[in-house]
Each structure stands twice: as C-alpha cells, then as structure tokens.
Amino acid sequence: MIDSSGLRYDAQGLIPAILQDHVSHEVVMLGYMNAESLRQTLELGQAVFWSRSRQELWHKGATSGDYVRVHEIRTDCDSDALVLQVELLGGAVCHTGAHSCFVEPDGAAPRLVGSPSA
Amino acid sequence: MIDSSGLRYDAQGLIPAILQDHVSHEVVMLGYMNAESLRQTLELGQAVFWSRSRQELWHKGATSGDYVRVHEIRTDCDSDALVLQVELLGGAVCHTGAHSCFVEPDGAAPRLVGSPSA
C-alpha cells in the first residue's frame, strides 16, 4: 500500500515510526502508524499511533498526560520507515514511567541484549 | 515467537533493528533481523540482517564493503524492537551511497515528510 505522499505501508497498513529525542538524540520508542494516525500526527503536531494490541488509534498521552510533540518526520530510501524528532512533554514515553522504552524502568540502565564489539 | 533471550519476533520471525551511529547519534537505517541473523551479529560484532526482499541472510557490507560494526544492542520494554549502536566502517549505510537511509542520496538534505511543530 502506497499513500499519496509515496509512503509504503506493510500488509497491515502500518509503517514503523522511530521516536528520537530532539535534544538528547536518544532513541526512546518504536511505534507504528497507519495513514490516518500519520495524518493526525501532522495535523496535531503530537504523536498519534496505531495500537497493534488494542487495534485502535492511540493519541499518545491522552491517558497518561505524556504527550509527545513532533518537530520533524523523515522517511528512508525505500519509504517504509519513519524517524520522528520528538519532545517528551511529560518527560516519559514508556508505560513503565521511564523516559525511554529502551532502558530499565528505573531509567538508569539499558535493556542490554549484547555488546559484541565492546 | 519468543527466543531464548526473551526477544519477541513477529509472525515472519523478524524483529526490527534501528541502527544509530554511536558517535553522531544519527539514526541511519531500519533493518530486520531473525534469530539467526541476531546470533551472527553478536558473534561477528558486525550487522547481519534478514533481507525481506531477497529472503536470505544479509551480512551488511559483504558486497559493498560497507560493513557495520555493532557496539551495543538494546531491546525495549516489550522486547520486540532493537536499537544498535553502530560504526559505519565504510562510511555509508544506504544503497544510494549516502551515510544514512534517512537523507537524500547527496547526503545533505533530509527525506522530509513534514515538520508539524516547526
């Protein structure tokens, strides 16, 4: 599926959206968008995802207050991934309360799989 | 599908892998790994993906010389995404020759979808 802007969605109509903190440059979350959530994100200037678990549009922060301001959206060479430069208006993006989904709930340690070249 | 390390793969046995330059912190590529490519990545210390287009293991750089050294691999709160801190041994990661897939082939301009809060 290719939308009017040339983006390529997968068989479920989704495109992965990488969230990167626009100041620290930390990658804080990977979410998924469909064309409608991307449209709403561009309109609101806040991240709106498609929740794969709940199968519904998900305006991030609507429940938690942790809204995500979106400054810029880029795509890649084959138009099937997005990188969003974001500002965490509530300071957190993870359901654990951590600022990033890629750290432990206390926010201090990475969720490490391995350090092959360390 | 959940592997021995607790990672969750999708129905195709894949997990998305975000590549971030370990010095510049730029997000340069989104690839996909299966359990075997992740095993090889950890063993080699170089990125090995699953090519969805060719349906085969893909040791990045084996053809182009643009190998990707992997310093660290993290996962997220629900163990279904990876962030790799990488070093682009050939200077480029994109098939266009650019250092990143999220910039135009000349490497200068972003592949912009929108700047909602600019």
Side-chain angles (χ1 to χ4, degrees), chain B:
Chain B
M1 176 184 150
I2 301 183
D3 78 358
S4 56
S5 61
L7 292 178
R8 292 169 60 210
Y9 296 83
D10 68 13
Q12 284 73 47
L14 301 178
I15 188 168
I18 301 162
L19 270 60
Q20 184 174 32
D21 186 291
H22 77 130
V23 173
S24 72
H25 307 304
E26 194 171 344
V27 173
V28 293
M29 183 182 150
L30 178 67
Y32 293 85
M33 293 185 172
N34 61 10
E36 174 60 17
S37 66
L38 176 58
R39 191 192 66 73
Q40 292 190 17
T41 297
L42 288 163
E43 187 175 295
L44 288 172
Q46 294 187 349
V48 179
F49 299 100
W50 178 258
S51 168
R52 296 179 301 165
S53 56
R54 297 193 304 275
Q55 290 284 303
E56 62 182 20
L57 284 171
W58 167 35
H59 181 188
K60 178 95 180 116
T63 303
S64 64
D66 290 332
Y67 294 100
V68 175
R69 190 172 186 187
V70 178
H71 290 275
E72 186 198 82
I73 305 177
R74 295 184 183 197
T75 190
D76 67 350
C77 54
D78 47 7
S79 306
D80 64 358
L82 302 173
V83 173
L84 282 64
Q85 295 299 321
V86 301
E87 183 179 347
L88 307 182
L89 298 181
V93 80
C94 189
H95 73 283
T96 63
H99 69 286
S100 161
C101 293
F102 291 93
V103 299
E104 298 290 346
D106 66 1
R111 292 180 185 270
L112 209 58
V113 174
S115 302
S117 295

Side-chain angles (χ1 to χ4, degrees), chain A residues 17-30 68 83-88 91-94 98-104 106-111, chain B residues 18-27 72 74-75 83-85:
Chain A
I18 301 161
L19 270 59
Q20 184 173 33
D21 186 291
H22 77 131
V23 174
S24 72
H25 307 303
E26 195 171 344
V27 173
V28 294
M29 182 183 150
L30 178 67
V68 174
V83 173
L84 282 65
Q85 296 299 322
V86 301
E87 184 180 347
L88 307 181
V93 80
C94 190
H99 70 286
S100 162
C101 294
F102 292 92
V103 298
E104 298 290 347
D106 64 3
R111 294 181 184 270
Chain B
I18 301 162
L19 270 60
Q20 184 174 32
D21 186 291
H22 77 130
V23 173
S24 72
H25 307 304
E26 194 171 344
V27 173
E72 186 198 82
R74 295 184 183 197
T75 190
V83 173
L84 282 64
Q85 295 299 321

Side-chain angles (χ1 to χ4, degrees), chain A residues 66-100:
Chain A
D66 290 332
Y67 294 100
V68 174
R69 190 171 187 190
V70 178
H71 290 274
E72 186 198 81
I73 304 177
R74 294 184 183 198
T75 190
D76 67 350
C77 53
D78 48 6
S79 306
D80 64 357
L82 301 174
V83 173
L84 282 65
Q85 296 299 322
V86 301
E87 184 180 347
L88 307 181
L89 297 181
V93 80
C94 190
H95 73 282
T96 62
H99 70 286
S100 162

